[in-house]
Amino acid sequence: LFFKCQIMQRERAPLKEIFGWAMFDFANSSYTTVIVTVVFSVIFPRIIVGDAPEYRMGNFLWSLSLSISYLVIVLTAPVIGAIMDYSASKKRFLFSSYILTVFSTIALYFAEPGNYILAMLLVIISNIGFAYGESFVSSFLPDLGPQEDLGKISGFAWGLGYFGGLTSTAIVLAVIGDITLENYERLKLVGPITGLFFLIAGIPTFLFLKERGIAKPLPKGSSYIQVGWSRIIQTFKEIQDFRDLAVFFVSMFFSQAGLSIVISFAFIYGDQIIRWSSGTMALMFVITQFTAAAGAFIFGFLQDKIGSLKTYIYTLIVWILSIFSIYFTEEIAGFINNVMSTGFSTEQVFLIVGCLAGLGLGATQSAGRAIVGIFSPESKSGEFFGFWGLAGKLSSIFGLLGLGILQSYLGLKNAVLFTAILFVISIIIAFFVNEDRGKQSAIKHEGE
């Protein structure tokens, strides 16, 4: 009863601390935006691998690199999360992941054209650090306020993250110029600029974010790894009590598989299928950052009004519409031009489609993180967000390798329809999640 009252009366953390927590989203968005989505994802197949004209090997090696990094997270994240909870060391683990990401990203400076092995190794290491940090920082969410505020808090941070991505990418694009082999001396600066941005922007997190847990003494003859595994085993024994969270993880597996494809291949698609100009690429980036931030903010408030699960489902519907619009961009442009006697190009219509996709980009991920936070007892938040990382990264392996293989046989345009199928499956599974029951399970197990 004491712990039930404690979680129900949990006060919102000071604004300074919430800001510090949100700044990690601002900082780490530099990595996922510049390296994974917009710039290095294009440099890798086009310049470092350079298998023109279709870049199928480059695309496959890119998906393979990300998949390998996610496999490491799958094998380790839940145990590390359990160790963090037991030893009250979330902040120390977060700092370690931050340093790993920063310096391996800076080291991308040394990846020369043709040396794709080194480039892959550095992408794998840096993405492992990024993925760890994403899970570690998210495990602080249940500490920051009552359940009814977590959607707004998560949405604020995710929205702020897009402005971090916008700022860092604008700096990078202003420095590097065109993505061509002749310009590689400037392209080499992508890693150092991104790493330094992450390093500086992440400082407020470690100044303001508090470690609220209380470390438990380590049993004699045991190690933290043994304790971590024992907590994981105990959680699996109690899985019936957390069945709604377990079902949601299955739904999230498919939605995150789809999102991983979009995040990793959207700008590759624009480059290889739409064949956009550098100006259109820059404009698409700006549009999607603003619409993604708006989606995270708007849906963040909406989920506290109508429920996080309904909001999550609505964002997936937006994604299904977006994927079909992406596939039929050329036909949509032709239809508009015939009906309205206009002269819109395919890449101009693709910009409009990008607005729709952007709305779902931040909202789906923010809503998913909020649901895990609501369903997680504070005493198990590190462990459960470790499972969140496991489900997300395992799904990324499935999505990226699935698309990588499909595009090798069907081409990138046809393979992108695989993403819509993933979102449909995710919606179907989400209907089996009971949000109220999931909240009560978190309350019941608080303090254990």
Side-chain angles (χ1 to χ4, degrees):
L1 180 60
F2 169 78
F3 287 114
K4 287 184 180 181
C5 293
Q6 186 184 50
I7 191 169
M8 292 175 68
Q9 296 174 2
R10 188 184 303 155
E11 295 182 356
R12 185 186 296 180
L15 289 177
K16 181 173 72 173
E17 185 177 4
I18 293 175
F19 170 75
W21 179 75
M23 277 301 293
F24 201 82
D25 275 8
F26 181 90
N28 73 4
S29 289
S30 63
Y31 178 83
T32 189
T33 307
V34 176
I35 303 301
V36 177
T37 304
V38 179
V39 183
F40 200 77
S41 62
V42 176
I43 291 174
F44 182 84
R46 188 195 292 185
I47 308 297
I48 294 181
V49 178
D51 60 325
E54 294 189 334
Y55 305 107
R56 293 192 179 190
M57 179 56 70
N59 291 344
F60 176 74
L61 292 177
W62 179 249
S63 66
L64 180 63
S65 301
L66 297 178
S67 297
I68 291 172
S69 67
Y70 294 141
L71 179 60
V72 174
I73 303 301
V74 166
L75 297 175
T76 58
V79 175
I80 292 177
I83 293 171
M84 289 194 307
D85 287 333
Y86 191 86
S87 60
S89 55
K90 295 178 187 176
K91 201 168 179 179
R92 280 180 288 167
F93 275 90
L94 179 62
F95 184 76
S96 299
S97 71
Y98 160 75
I99 293 299
L100 178 64
T101 308
V102 165
F103 287 101
S104 53
T105 302
I106 291 173
L108 285 170
Y109 177 86
F110 300 104
E112 298 286 341
N115 192 358
Y116 60 85
I117 298 297
L118 177 61
M120 291 176 67
L121 180 62
L122 291 172
V123 167
I124 290 168
I125 294 172
S126 60
N127 202 46
I128 287 171
F130 167 79
Y132 274 141
E134 189 178 39
S135 295
F136 296 165
V137 78
S138 294
S139 71
F140 285 89
L141 178 58
D143 301 341
L144 299 179
Q147 288 184 340
E148 61 270 18
D149 282 354
L150 297 188
K152 290 191 288 286
I153 294 171
S154 180
F156 165 70
W158 217 287
L160 186 63
Y162 285 106
F163 288 104
L166 177 64
T167 304
S168 58
T169 308
I171 294 171
V172 168
L173 292 178
V175 171
I176 67 171
D178 295 332
I179 300 178
T180 62
L181 181 60
E182 295 74 21
N183 190 42
Y184 197 72
E185 285 303 308
R186 293 173 70 181
L187 295 182
K188 291 166 63 174
L189 298 175
V190 169
I193 294 172
T194 306
L196 289 173
F197 184 95
F198 194 166
L199 179 67
I200 295 169
I203 291 173
T205 300
F206 301 100
L207 292 178
F208 303 136
L209 191 60
K210 296 179 181 178
E211 180 78 61
R212 285 182 168 77
I214 299 175
K216 299 179 179 65
L218 193 64
K220 289 184 177 180
S222 295
S223 67
Y224 280 117
I225 293 177
Q226 289 174 316
V227 169
W229 274 112
S230 67
R231 286 175 65 93
I232 296 295
I233 293 169
Q234 182 62 32
T235 296
F236 275 112
K237 290 179 180 178
E238 298 170 347
I239 198 66
Q240 181 62 25
D241 292 339
F242 299 104
R243 60 186 178 277
D244 292 292
L245 180 59
V247 174
F248 177 71
F249 278 145
V250 178
S251 172
M252 198 189 77
F253 173 89
F254 290 99
S255 67
Q256 286 295 116
L259 286 175
S260 68
I261 292 171
V262 174
I263 292 169
S264 302
F265 278 90
F267 279 70
I268 294 175
Y269 188 94
D271 182 59
Q272 297 178 12
I273 305 302
I274 304 299
R275 300 192 182 280
W276 57 17
S277 64
S278 58
T280 301
M281 183 193 78
L283 188 56
M284 172 65 90
F285 167 69
V286 172
I287 287 173
T288 54
Q289 295 306 293
F290 276 106
T291 54
F297 284 127
I298 293 169
F299 281 102
F301 281 93
L302 182 64
Q303 62 188 293
D304 289 334
K305 297 292 184 183
I306 67 171
S308 296
L309 187 63
K310 284 184 180 178
T311 305
Y312 171 77
I313 292 172
Y314 291 157
T315 66
L316 295 179
I317 294 172
V318 171
W319 268 116
I320 293 169
L321 295 174
S322 300
I323 296 303
F324 280 105
S325 298
I326 289 170
Y327 182 80
F328 290 109
T329 296
E330 186 175 356
E331 289 79 3
I332 292 171
F335 176 79
I336 293 174
N337 290 334
N338 287 334
V339 172
M340 303 180 64
S341 299
T342 53
F344 288 112
S345 66
T346 301
E347 58 184 307
Q348 287 173 325
V349 174
F350 194 63
L351 287 174
I352 299 172
V353 174
C355 294
L356 181 63
L359 286 174
L361 188 59
T364 303
Q365 297 175 93
S366 175
R369 180 167 67 175
I371 291 170
V372 177
I374 291 168
F375 287 1
S376 298
E378 187 176 345
S379 59
K380 288 180 175 286
S381 61
E383 181 181 341
F384 282 177
F385 272 100
F387 280 114
W388 176 71
L390 183 153
K393 305 321 172 191
L394 188 62
S395 68
S396 295
I397 296 171
F398 175 74
L400 290 171
L401 285 183
L403 186 82
I405 293 169
L406 286 174
Q407 64 87 33
S408 296
Y409 292 98
L410 304 176
L412 186 56
K413 181 178 179 179
N414 291 326
V416 80
L417 290 177
F418 173 56
T419 313
I421 297 172
L422 296 172
F423 289 132
V424 170
I425 295 172
S426 180
I427 290 175
I428 294 171
I429 296 172
F431 282 117
F432 293 92
V433 178
N434 186 311
E435 186 169 353
D436 290 335
R437 187 174 58 201
K439 290 179 180 178
Q440 292 305 312
S441 293
I443 294 172
K444 175 183 175 183
H445 285 266
E446 186 57 50
E448 294 184 359

